[in-house]
């Protein structure tokens, strides 16, 4: 008994000692952080929340800032160059001319004055803005933020960003080459499409969302990509687009095929109505993506600057007017989850309004 008491006291003493060793730093503005290098980010965060994200909305600038984190980071592979280093903005005149980067010049130009007054490297700012923006979206995970990426000295190679009309083989190979991403991690990263919209896949319908709830980070995207759709023929303005049964919604050909491929279909389906899984899996895959081209041990963790996103608890549903028979079952191992159907007649999905 005496030995147990002594052991308990020793453990308690170690806890107190460890707590004393972890000293919080008080910044000049009164905020406290684990590392003084993170102090400057409070002002940057407040600036972009108020002036880039319209006071903390989950709108178009958030969608585009998240897209930019991916387009900057994924340009890395065995051929060298690229990674999360800001090259897409530093060498904007080169990389925005790559076909896959069509449209990213808009958010690059919007972010430029914020980057200039932030004092951050471009690669750090792009990833920071993406993480802060996503925190405005109900249901989103709290994403990591790292500081210390040097600015790019060369542009990323062309043909390193997957496109909507690429095959599943090509997409999985590109992700594997860029960062040894598994098929499950590819599916997890595509959870970003739950708060996304397309302006340039079909330029005749800008702001078209990929699911019916682009303002929330939920699992509705994984339901609606599994609805029966029709692939558009040809390679015109709607190249890479699949007709969705929901009016006003756009489905990428690549999303449609990944939802039905035997390597990814069951993982895709597993996100349906599983809010905890989509949060955990996306945060883990984003963490891996956001440090591509860097050793994370050389970076400073400033994740505590990211606000807790609003909670979202609504269950996934089938859109009004549709039934389980409208689901195109693709996972052979398990049946598609049973979902309630939204009440009322079928409605059109509204476009994401421009800034």
């Amino acid at each position: 008994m005496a030995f147990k008491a002594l052991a308990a006291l020793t453990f308690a003493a170690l806890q107190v000692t460890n707590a004393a060793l972890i000293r919080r730093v008080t910044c000049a503005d009164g905020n406290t952080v684990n590392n003084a290098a993170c102090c400057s980010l409070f002002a940057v965060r407040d600036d972009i929340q108020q002036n880039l994200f319209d006071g903390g909305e989950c709108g178009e600038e958030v969608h585009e800032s998240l897209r930019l984190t991916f387009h900057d980071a994924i340009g890395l592979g065995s051929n060298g160059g690229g990674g999360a280093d800001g090259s897409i903005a530093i060498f904007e005149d080169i990389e925005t001319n790559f076909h896959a980067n069509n449209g990213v010049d808009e958010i690059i130009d919007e972010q430029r004055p914020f980057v200039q007054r932030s004092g951050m490297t471009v690669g750090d700012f792009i990833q920071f803005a993406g993480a802060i923006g996503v925190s405005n979206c109900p249901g989103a995970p709290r994403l990591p933020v790292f500081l210390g990426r040097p600015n790019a000295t060369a542009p990323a190679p062309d043909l390193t960003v997957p496109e909507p009309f690429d095959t599943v083989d090509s997409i999985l190979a590109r992700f594997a080459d860029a960062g040894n991403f598994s098929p499950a991690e590819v599916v997890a990263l595509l959870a970003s499409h739950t708060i996304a919209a397309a302006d340039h896949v079909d330029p005749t319908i800008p702001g078209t969302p990929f699911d019916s709830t682009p303002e929330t980070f939920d699992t509705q995207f994984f339901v609606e990509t599994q609805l029966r759709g029709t692939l558009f023929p040809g390679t015109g303005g709607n190249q890479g687009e699949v007709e969705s049964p929901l009016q006003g919604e756009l489905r990428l050909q690549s999303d449609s095929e990944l939802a039905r491929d035997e390597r990814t279909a069951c993982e895709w389906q597993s996100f349906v109505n599983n809010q905890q899984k989509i949060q955990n899996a996306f945060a883990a895959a984003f963490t891996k993506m956001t440090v591509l081209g860097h050793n994370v041990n050389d970076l400073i963790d400033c994740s505590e600057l990211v606000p807790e996103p609003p909670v979202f608890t609504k269950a996934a549903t089938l859109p009004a007017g549709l039934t389980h028979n409208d689901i195109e079952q693709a996972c052979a191992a398990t049946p598609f989850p049973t979902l309630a159907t939204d009440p009322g007649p079928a409605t059109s999905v509204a476009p994401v309004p421009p800034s």
Side-chain angles (χ1 to χ4, degrees), residues 182-197:
S182 68
E185 289 173 320
V186 173
V187 173
L189 278 176
L190 288 172
S192 61
H193 286 179
T194 187
I195 51 169

Side-chain angles (χ1 to χ4, degrees), residues 56-118:
E57 292 185 359
C58 182
E60 184 181 27
E61 283 74 21
V62 168
H63 304 167
E64 292 301 316
S65 292
L66 179 57
R67 181 185 180 218
L68 188 61
T69 66
F70 172 74
H71 281 250
D72 185 44
I74 200 64
L76 173 74
S78 57
N79 55 354
D85 58 4
S87 68
I88 198 167
I90 295 170
F91 298 97
E92 179 183 5
D93 57 334
I94 296 174
E95 290 195 40
T96 58
N97 285 313
F98 299 163
H99 187 269
N101 290 332
N102 186 21
V104 298
D105 57 310
E106 296 170 10
I107 189 62
I108 289 172
D109 293 343
E110 278 195 75
Q111 287 188 1
R112 182 173 293 108
F114 295 90
V115 177
Q116 291 172 344
R117 60 179 178 257
S118 73

Side-chain angles (χ1 to χ4, degrees), residues 92-340:
E92 179 183 5
D93 57 334
I94 296 174
E95 290 195 40
T96 58
N97 285 313
F98 299 163
H99 187 269
N101 290 332
N102 186 21
V104 298
D105 57 310
E106 296 170 10
I107 189 62
I108 289 172
D109 293 343
E110 278 195 75
Q111 287 188 1
R112 182 173 293 108
F114 295 90
V115 177
Q116 291 172 344
R117 60 179 178 257
S118 73
M120 302 172 70
T121 65
V122 182
D124 280 350
F125 182 89
I126 287 173
Q127 300 301 322
F128 180 66
I132 296 299
V134 170
S135 75
N136 296 329
C137 304
R142 193 169 180 230
L143 297 177
V145 162
F146 297 99
L147 200 64
R149 303 169 186 82
N151 274 328
T153 57
D158 194 4
L159 305 178
T160 52
V161 180
E163 300 209 52
F165 47 80
D166 287 347
T167 65
V168 174
D169 284 347
S170 173
I171 292 169
L172 295 182
R174 174 81 277 274
F175 274 92
D177 183 49
N180 198 29
F181 286 96
S182 68
E185 289 173 320
V186 173
V187 173
L189 278 176
L190 288 172
S192 61
H193 286 179
T194 187
I195 51 169
D199 288 328
H200 300 280
V201 173
D202 187 341
T204 66
I205 48 172
T208 306
F210 297 145
D211 76 356
S212 57
T213 57
E215 72 287 349
T216 55
F217 197 100
D218 58 13
T219 70
Q220 205 61 37
F221 166 73
F222 291 96
V223 176
E224 293 168 20
T225 47
Q226 211 67 64
L227 296 170
R228 300 181 189 280
T230 304
L231 179 65
F232 280 110
T235 57
N238 49 22
Q239 183 184 16
E241 181 185 348
V242 174
E243 185 177 19
S244 170
L246 300 184
Q247 184 178 357
E249 181 176 296
L250 185 149
R251 185 186 305 170
L252 299 181
Q253 177 182 328
S254 52
D255 287 343
S256 182
E257 292 181 359
L258 282 160
R260 290 158 176 79
D261 189 273
E262 61 180 6
R263 292 162 290 185
T264 48
C266 288
E267 185 66 17
W268 196 280
Q269 180 179 289
S270 73
F271 284 101
V272 173
N273 216 17
N274 193 336
Q275 190 68 22
Q276 191 65 59
K277 179 170 183 179
I278 193 177
Q279 290 176 333
N280 292 344
F282 181 74
F286 182 89
T287 300
K288 188 171 178 178
M289 182 202 73
T290 197
V291 296
L292 282 177
H294 307 280
N295 183 340
V296 69
N297 295 321
D298 296 333
L299 304 178
I300 298 168
D301 188 347
C302 295
S303 302
E304 60 186 314
L305 269 290
V306 180
E308 286 286 351
V311 175
F312 179 81
T313 58
K314 183 180 180 295
T317 57
L318 292 169
L322 300 178
T323 71
H324 188 84
N325 292 333
D326 293 297
I327 295 293
E328 187 174 12
Q329 175 70 30
C331 175
T334 57
F336 197 85
T338 300
L339 303 176

Side-chain angles (χ1 to χ4, degrees), residues 332-350:
T334 57
F336 197 85
T338 300
L339 303 176
T341 299
D342 287 334
T347 59
S348 177
V349 180

Side-chain angles (χ1 to χ4, degrees), residues 6-24:
L6 178 61
L9 287 171
T10 302
F11 179 70
L14 286 172
Q15 286 183 309
V16 172
T17 301
N18 289 336
L21 290 173
I22 303 174
R23 296 182 181 275
R24 299 279 290 175

